[in-house]
Amino acid sequence: MNAPRHNISRPIQGIRRLSDAAANRIAAGEVVERPASAVKELVENAVDAGATRIDVTIGDGGKTLIRVSDNGSGIAQAELALALERHATSKIDGEDLVNIRSFGFRGEALPSIASVARLTLISRQQGGEAWEINVAAGQAAPSRPASRAPGTTVEVRDLFYATPARLKFLRSDRSETQAIGEVMRRLAMAEPGITFTLSDDSRTMFRADAAQGDLFDARLARARTILGADFTENAVAIDADREGLRLEGHIGLPTVSRGAAVAQHIMVNGRPVRDRLLIGALRAAYSDFLSRDRHPMAALFLTCPPDRVDVNVHPAKAEVRFREPGNVRGLIISAIRHTLAQNGHRATSTITENALGAFRSETPAPSGRTWTVPRPSGQAVQAALGAQAPVGFDEQSPGWTSARVETEISEQEAAETTALPLGAARAQLHENYILAQTDDGVVLIDQHAAHERLAFQRLKAQMAENGVARQALLIPEIVELGTDAARVLEQTEALLELGLAIEPFGPGAVAVREVPALLGQPDAAALLRDVADEIADLGSSDAVRARLDAVLSRIACHGSVRSGRRLTGPEMNALLREMEATPHSSTCNHGRPTWVKLSLADLEKLFGRR
């Protein structure tokens, strides 16, 4: 017990008050973690000042230079020195700490940065004169006249020069620059009406011009700048509300997912956040459509009364805490799934472009010549086909490798079939792909992936209708959860609906009596610990449902039409009609597309007709 503690020592001495300089430097360690943190705080101040243009210039990844200029309201000369004092702010009056409607409110950013760097603040109000004040390691010089247009410029040089140890923990210039770029992109997404630029000494690294139009269109235009044209062309709008909460924005179709969660922008009352509850809800909403190694793309704006969310729970205000987290999570999941269901048959432009690229001939077309072939009328086509003799071109011929679709339908029925979204089956290619004709193009369907999705949806519907079958354990398994036991037992009814029957078993322990029959012989203790961890992290758990869905997905995969099976015409058409009637049938259970569409215009491009 008396062994020395090498890592932590407590010198015995009296209590004393730290100097203001030391207190500011300690506070700076929380507020200003790296150059990107300083950029975030300064740009947020510019947004709060009502700026419509914000220009950021950095040097050496922000280590030697950060300059933020805006055209906002500016600071009066009498308030310049006050702005550099701790807990001095113009954004709240200190009486109401709940109804916060600004990015900043603590009054810590400027004094924290000034305590560890060399800071110059130049500001001018409309109709007034410009003034400048300089601070080095917390020591301010008197203000003096300066020259600039209305607005404010904050220049930070030699960040952390007053705390050299912090410099050793910074990453390379490239990594710090990337972190600053990510901060700028997230703030730009939150404020589409503001022009943002980020540059260094040699080039402009990021630029987002102020978007025009109403708020919804402006957000989509800004999403195009931040996330790219692939997202906006394959995104669907979302607009839902529940019990005072409102969710707006755009989400990407499952076929435009990413390998990491880098294209997810979530704003709460206009503030960009990286909250685990919100990110978990977004992932859960896509759980039926993406494999675990893929991440959806989204730009979501959640609006709620300020008194129902606490934004003062994280030093960088990157996380928030909701008074009713279950309602927020439920709104996100239900709204996204409903929106995806409504757009389940929409093909993505990305897949079509990839298909066109794969089809293009390697032989370049002659330059300077455009071939325009007039399209014959329907009567001319019928006359030409009637004059052709089908000799030597049947299913028995060596050159005919696909299965033709023989159907006994009238011309009217054929026209009605091709008018449907997936059209009428015309052939089966390589015993796996169905070729269908629509009024305005052709559709190529992966029969195995399509049937896998249909089977999965049927199994889920059956489970929802009949409930989850449970199997009793011969000997109940006792799981020690400690302090997590109470949280898990609060979810007893919800877990029972998923086939997991639990009950208390003494202090800190839970007895598992029944498990879902679909899971066979699962490790009940490991499953319950996963549930406990998820509840502790997010307030609820989808671990059991995720495992059930994984089993159903495997059953659907093994029970669906396999590649290599030749289908008849009626079977192919029946598959197409069921796809049109089934939600989410445009992707399989792993997020891969089930069909690709090429329009007549696309086909004509391939053959140089356009």
Side-chain angles (χ1 to χ4, degrees), residues 238-248 281 302-303 325-337:
I238 186 169
D239 189 354
D241 58 81
R242 174 192 294 180
E243 299 178 10
L245 304 171
R246 182 158 189 173
L247 183 67
E248 300 172 291
L302 178 67
T303 305
N327 290 347
V328 174
R329 180 179 172 84
L331 171 63
I332 293 174
I333 294 176
S334 62
I336 291 177
R337 288 184 173 175

Side-chain angles (χ1 to χ4, degrees), residues 12 15 127 180 221 233 272 296 298 325 336-337 347 393 425 430 433 442 444 448 459-460 491 493 509 546 553 582 598:
I12 300 175
I15 298 174
I180 292 172
E233 292 172 3
I336 291 177
R337 288 184 173 175
F393 193 69
H430 298 288
Y433 301 101
V442 295
L444 196 62
H448 172 69
L459 289 171
K460 289 191 65 176
Q491 306 291 328
E493 294 297 326
S553 179
T582 302
L598 294 176

Side-chain angles (χ1 to χ4, degrees), residues 246-314:
R246 182 158 189 173
L247 183 67
E248 300 172 291
H250 294 81
I251 55 175
L253 295 172
T255 45
V256 288
S257 60
R258 292 288 187 86
V262 296
Q264 298 174 2
H265 294 262
I266 304 177
M267 273 61 65
V268 177
N269 288 347
R271 181 190 305 275
V273 298
R274 297 288 296 172
D275 187 80
R276 290 177 295 175
L277 169 69
L278 303 177
I279 294 174
L282 178 60
R283 185 165 185 80
Y286 278 85
S287 60
D288 285 354
F289 318 111
L290 293 176
S291 58
R292 296 186 65 87
D293 61 340
R294 303 300 298 177
H295 301 266
M297 301 176 70
L300 297 174
F301 298 80
L302 178 67
T303 305
C304 68
D307 60 348
R308 294 171 65 178
V309 58
D310 187 357
V311 299
N312 193 24
V313 296
H314 189 274

Side-chain angles (χ1 to χ4, degrees), residues 499-568:
L500 188 64
I502 61 174
E503 61 182 34
F505 192 85
V510 175
V512 181
R513 295 196 172 275
E514 295 176 297
V515 296
L518 274 175
L519 300 183
Q521 297 179 344
D523 185 343
L527 176 59
L528 197 61
R529 290 192 180 97
D530 288 345
V531 171
D533 291 342
E534 202 166 14
I535 292 174
D537 191 25
L538 302 175
S540 61
S541 175
D542 287 323
V544 180
R545 184 177 296 279
R547 294 200 183 188
L548 290 173
D549 286 346
V551 173
L552 294 180
S553 179
R554 286 196 296 270
I555 295 173
C557 182
H558 291 293
S560 59
V561 174
R562 310 300 298 178
S563 299
R565 175 182 168 185
R566 177 164 293 190
L567 301 180
T568 66

Side-chain angles (χ1 to χ4, degrees), residues 34-36 57-67 156-160 167 170-178 180 198-202 205:
R34 59 194 302 187
T57 304
I58 61 173
D60 300 318
K63 300 173 185 176
T64 59
L65 171 65
I66 297 173
R67 183 187 300 115
V156 180
R157 291 190 175 274
D158 302 326
L159 186 64
F160 297 130
L167 287 172
L170 296 182
R171 299 182 180 180
S172 65
D173 292 353
R174 179 183 178 87
S175 295
E176 297 298 342
T177 298
Q178 290 175 342
I180 292 172
L198 172 63
S199 60
D200 58 13
D201 293 334
S202 59
M205 297 176 288

